[in-house]
């Protein structure tokens, strides 16, 4: 069965996901709400963190943490061992497609291969449910991956931490999604500093 899929994003008032100061402490504290089994991350989100990851402490895998699954059809992510050891996740899983460039023979990163030239996200989620016992998946993305998931009708819940700033240009939380999606409001909360949390379920 497909797991419950939640997109949790920090956004500006105009829906941009980068180029402003995110209340990171609140963002990650709130991200623990779902106790996800799998954190599903876009490769570009990981690449944006790679420099910081190289100087981060590496306490080792967090046994009770979720599995980190990265959508990486083009095999752009390199720092798998550091991601495993950074202390947030129990293990890492590369989501690849048939046409993903060859991996080094000594790679110890677990792989899930699905789709021809790009990861088949629907099938990947089904397999995460079936083979990895995932019931809840939290998507961590600047919006591109979420947009594709929205297009495929694979998102059950949206959590937007709206920051009091208008950024103008930049990636949007809904990526290239051009459809229409009706939502039910599940919660609203206002925090210090004018940050507003909007939580919606898809109908
Ligand atoms: N504000 C926030 O909450 C937040 C959260 C996370 C990140 N960020 C910021 O957002 C930026 C990165 O986010 P982003 O939106 O640019 O990228 P992203 O969502 O992190 O990465 C794009 C992902 O979408 C995949 N993809 C695109 N089209 C696809 C398709 N048709 N089928 C399957 N997979 C597909 C790509 O896979 P391939 O590898 O196969 O191309 C890639 O894994 C960074 O600046 C980061 O700091 C902000």
């Amino acid at each position: 069965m497909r797991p419950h899929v939640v997109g949790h994003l920090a956004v500006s008032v105009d829906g941009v996901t980068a180029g402003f100061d995110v209340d990171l402490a609140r963002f990650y504290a709130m991200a623990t709400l779902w106790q996800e089994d799998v954190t599903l991350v876009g490769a570009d989100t990981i690449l944006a963190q790679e420099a910081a990851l190289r100087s981060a402490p590496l306490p080792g895998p967090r046994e009770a943490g979720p599995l980190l699954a990265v959508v990486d059809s083009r095999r752009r992510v390199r720092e798998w061992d550091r991601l495993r050891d950074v202390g947030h996740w129990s293990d890492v899983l590369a989501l690849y497609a048939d046409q993903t460039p060859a991996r080094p023979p000594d790679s110890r990163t677990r792989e899930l291969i699905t789709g021809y030239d790009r990861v088949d996200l629907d099938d990947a989620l089904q397999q995460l449910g079936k083979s990895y016992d995932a019931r809840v998946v939290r998507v961590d993305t600047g919006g591109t991956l979420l947009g594709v998931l929205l297009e495929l009708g694979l998102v059950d819940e949206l959590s937007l931490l709206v920051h009091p700033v208008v950024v103008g240009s930049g990636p949007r939380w809904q990526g290239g999604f051009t459809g229409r999606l009706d939502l039910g409001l599940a919660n609203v909360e206002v925090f210090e500093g004018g940050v507003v949390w909007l939580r919606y379920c898809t109908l």
Side-chain angles (χ1 to χ4, degrees), residues 92-190:
V92 293
L93 177 70
L95 303 188
Y96 291 144
D98 278 352
Q99 295 297 300
T100 298
R103 275 73 77 192
D106 60 345
S107 168
R108 58 188 190 113
T109 306
R110 286 200 285 168
E111 302 178 359
L112 195 165
I113 299 171
T114 174
Y116 181 67
D117 52 358
R118 287 207 106 147
V119 172
D120 178 333
L121 294 168
D122 194 354
D123 191 48
L125 285 168
Q126 296 285 354
Q127 291 202 47
L128 286 170
K130 196 170 153 198
S131 308
Y132 292 82
D133 211 18
R135 279 162 299 146
V136 177
V137 170
R138 180 175 65 82
V139 184
D140 195 351
T141 163
T144 306
L145 179 60
L146 186 65
V148 180
L149 292 166
L150 285 167
E151 206 69 53
L152 295 169
L154 297 173
V155 179
D156 303 296
E157 192 177 333
L158 286 168
S159 162
L160 301 177
L161 200 58
V162 184
H163 288 60
V165 58
V166 174
V167 176
S169 61
R172 309 269 152 176
W173 67 264
Q174 81 284 14
F177 176 65
T178 52
R180 177 200 159 107
L181 193 62
D182 293 313
L183 303 169
L185 185 64
N187 204 3
V188 183
E189 235 172 294
V190 180

Side-chain angles (χ1 to χ4, degrees), residues 8-11 16-20 22 27-28 41-46 48-49 70-76 95 117-121 140-146 148 152 171-172 175:
H8 174 60
L9 293 97
V11 300
V16 176
T17 58
F20 63 98
V22 172
F27 181 81
Y28 284 110
V41 186
D44 294 278
T45 291
I46 296 295
Q49 295 298 320
V70 184
V71 179
D72 190 24
S73 323
R74 291 173 278 168
R75 198 174 82 78
R76 291 177 293 150
L95 303 188
D117 52 358
R118 287 207 106 147
V119 172
D120 178 333
L121 294 168
D140 195 351
T141 163
T144 306
L145 179 60
L146 186 65
V148 180
L152 295 169
R172 309 269 152 176

